Amino acid sequence: MTNQDLEACKRDIEIIKSTIEKSKVNLGSLSALFILYGIIMLLDTVATGFVAHAIYITQDWYLVYENILHVLRMIVLGLFIFYYANRFLKLRKSNNFFTLQLFGLWGFVMLFVPLMNTCFIAVTKAVCGNELYMGANPQLIICSIPGILEVFSFVFALMATGLMLNKRTITVASACLFIALLMLYFVLPSTITVIENHEGIMIYNYIGLRTNAGRTVTFLGYVIMGILLRRKKSENYGT
Amino acid sequence: MELNNLSDIFQSKLRLMIISALMTGEKTFKEIKEITQATDGNISVQISNLEKAGYITITKTFKGKKPQTIVAITPVGRNEFIQYVNLLNLIISNAQNE
């Protein structure tokens, strides 16, 4: 074994290391997106709760504040879409296929689904009026379907991310989350005994509880994912 | 002595870079070019050699109307690469112990 051979081996190791480093997924940009989105969700949940409980002076005032909140949601979502598009265009220049794939997947979950949900609520309010959202109306369950899609699309995207990054922790956590949400959204309702006189109130309270639980889970999920991705700024894709 | 057992495939710097890049997942021709900073001709020749050796697979598809070449490492290629890296590390650690 000559020194030349040894140097050649060391050189090859360096080539391998630097090449793998260059081909890694850039997760730093995605982490900022997650954390920001999680914070927006938290503020929205707090604001919704505040409107529901603290400002319930009269029904009319409640409706006014709820509609203002809904308009604010649309504005924030619009700003977020703009921010996302800006980051996506910058990432496209780097031509990193895997980061783009991951970015695209989460863009769909963070933007398209809530946008669909927001539009659905706006259209429903315009067509059916605010009564649909007030108390004793079982049709409220149907109106909450886009909200359910929002939560479950988050879980499925999380599962896909775990598979893409080959991170068993993320995949297993998302599977557990899926089961828990399945229980909360579909199994539990069938076990609740609805008392005849209080049917409307019970359904309304249950949906409120479910919505808040779903939002809390997704907000926590986004923030935790953001922190995890920030700590592991680059990951091997697949291996 | 151990160096004689090393695969000839990895004696080329560009081939080594291509295989290393593919260890993190399949790549398009464009991505390989970006990572290796080599010319189109050189990359084409080397990926052909790697395909003949059974280390990679090449799939030609279309992205819209644009042709796209996707290169992926095979299990054989992956195993050979891992063995090569292990051998390199062994040679270096033996030399350091001497």
Side-chain angles (χ1 to χ4, degrees), chain A residues 12 23 94 97-98 237 239, chain B residues 3 23-24 26 31 34 84:
Chain A
D12 277 2
S23 60
S94 73
F97 174 70
F98 307 109
Y237 179 85
T239 57
Chain B
L3 281 175
M23 286 298 284
T24 59
E26 63 182 30
E31 284 165 342
E34 195 186 290
Y84 181 69

Side-chain angles (χ1 to χ4, degrees), chain B residues 2 29 52 60 62:
Chain B
E2 292 94 342
F29 189 94
K52 278 178 200 165
K60 292 187 192 285
F62 280 89

